[in-house]
Amino acid sequence: MTIDIMLPFWGEPRLLFETVTSVLRQDDPDWRLLVLDDGYPDDSVAPWFEAVQDSRVQYRRNERNLGIVENFRASVEAAEAEYLVVLGSDDLLHPGYVRAVHARIERHPDADIFQPGVVVVDGEGQPSEPPVDWVKQRILRPKATHGDVVLQGEALASSLLRGNWLYWPSLVFRTAAIRRHDFRDDLPVILDLAIILDIVFDGGSLVAMPETVFSYRRHGASASQRSLLDGSRFADDRRFFDEAATRSREAGWRKAARAARIRVFARLHAFTQLPAVLRRGTQAGRRSALRHIFGG
């Protein structure tokens, strides 16, 4: 059962090479990797891939810069296998990642999304647990006394709307399930949660795996961090949660609607970012952050 690892790339080549090397080190060989270079201006990338002697690795450079949303779309459309990953170009697979995912797919053949265990690392690859990840890992992620956690329907929607505990680049999707939906151009920072909720409202289920087989790199130079300072992230979040509350009410999911309306952990996250926004953000960013925390 081959897994297609799709890797939309725009970023630091050194980190990309580390990511690809982590794929090459998988102890289960049943995978394919496609790197979609979105025209990053560095002459070292293409020659590096020319030197990779593995037929499972393909490199494709876009003729023009598509931007994150279009490159994500291209990644999903290019997949050929029944399951796919949209990997970050600075994250790392542990050697047992593919093997662990294969085992869960065999155990839960009807599931549409698989979330492996994740360790967070900083820009230098060292273990790190900033407050947002402490909350995601210790409070928001559903716990099980043993084995996997399987969620679907209102229980899954409520859990994610209470606080998004998923790590997008580590997720494995059933290709058919994600292709039934589209990434939203108007939500460039939270496009991941938006399409996941689309799958959930469409009846999809998720398996949270206990094995820690993925390293997620978090650093301050990301687009999501920049969008906090100019306020666009907060505005997008409010609009998204308002829409989710409406969809939940229409589905008869009262608990999910309440979680979207209250959005307690989204407000808490904004509160933790408030000192940085007040110190370095734009005037619009400061207004947006305060409205996000204290508004209705």
Side-chain angles (χ1 to χ4, degrees):
M1 184 188 301
T2 301
I3 294 175
D4 276 349
I5 301 171
M6 317 306 292
L7 204 167
F9 165 64
W10 177 274
E12 169 58 51
R14 175 183 61 85
L15 299 179
L16 169 67
F17 302 154
E18 291 180 9
T19 299
V20 174
T21 299
S22 78
V23 177
L24 292 168
R25 290 175 176 168
Q26 291 302 294
D27 57 23
D28 183 330
D30 202 0
W31 53 266
R32 288 191 299 257
L33 171 67
L34 173 60
V35 177
L36 291 94
D37 184 341
D38 202 21
Y40 190 77
D42 190 294
D43 295 335
S44 68
V45 178
W48 191 90
F49 281 97
E50 290 174 1
V52 174
Q53 300 297 311
D54 193 314
S55 61
R56 296 169 299 178
V57 178
Q58 298 180 49
Y59 170 79
R60 181 187 304 173
R61 183 177 174 87
N62 297 334
E63 294 182 0
R64 60 181 179 84
N65 178 261
L66 301 177
I68 183 172
V69 180
E70 284 296 335
N71 213 23
F72 271 38
R73 285 193 183 109
S75 298
V76 172
E77 287 305 312
E80 299 177 0
E82 186 177 357
Y83 294 90
L84 67 86
V85 181
V86 184
L87 181 60
S89 61
D90 58 359
D91 301 309
L92 300 169
L93 304 185
H94 298 188
Y97 175 89
V98 170
R99 172 170 44 82
V101 169
H102 276 149
R104 285 317 182 283
I105 291 173
E106 292 177 1
R107 186 177 301 177
H108 305 281
D110 297 326
D112 295 299
I113 309 172
F114 297 83
Q115 170 66 79
V118 169
V119 61
V120 179
V121 298
D122 61 20
E124 303 303 317
Q126 297 302 310
S128 175
E129 196 175 54
V132 62
D133 294 295
W134 188 92
V135 171
K136 284 167 73 89
Q137 301 268 26
R138 309 293 181 90
I139 298 177
L140 294 175
R141 180 183 169 107
K143 303 298 189 297
T145 54
H146 62 280
D148 305 328
V149 177
V150 182
L151 295 171
Q152 188 174 20
E154 183 174 15
L156 178 53
S158 300
S159 178
L160 295 177
L161 290 169
R162 177 173 174 252
N164 181 15
W165 47 274
L166 302 177
Y167 289 88
W168 168 265
S170 71
L171 296 174
V172 178
F173 292 90
R174 184 187 302 277
T175 304
I178 194 170
R179 277 188 179 157
R180 284 195 291 269
H181 308 281
D182 193 13
F183 295 104
R184 291 181 55 172
D185 295 281
D186 63 329
L187 296 173
V189 177
I190 54 173
L191 81 171
D192 52 350
L193 182 57
I195 200 169
I196 289 168
L197 261 293
D198 286 341
I199 296 172
V200 175
F201 279 104
D202 198 28
S205 60
L206 179 146
V207 176
M209 303 160 43
E211 297 96 337
T212 299
V213 289
F214 190 93
S215 289
Y216 175 82
R217 195 183 303 268
R218 189 181 294 281
H219 47 79
S222 67
S224 60
Q225 292 298 311
R226 292 191 297 271
S227 68
L228 292 172
L229 299 180
D230 66 19
S232 58
R233 171 63 185 268
F234 300 121
D236 287 350
D237 275 6
R238 288 196 303 276
R239 179 160 45 85
F240 168 75
F241 280 108
D242 287 344
E243 293 175 5
T246 298
R247 294 179 73 180
S248 297
R249 286 195 301 270
E250 292 174 349
W253 293 355
R254 295 182 179 179
K255 184 178 179 182
R258 182 174 183 272
R261 187 175 65 254
I262 296 174
R263 63 178 195 278
V264 59
F265 282 97
R267 294 179 195 264
L268 287 174
H269 177 243
F271 185 78
T272 65
Q273 300 299 314
L274 188 58
V277 174
L278 293 176
R279 185 171 61 253
R280 297 187 286 116
T282 64
Q283 184 176 358
R286 292 190 286 271
R287 286 198 305 265
S288 186
L290 291 171
R291 182 183 175 192
H292 191 62
I293 297 169
F294 301 109

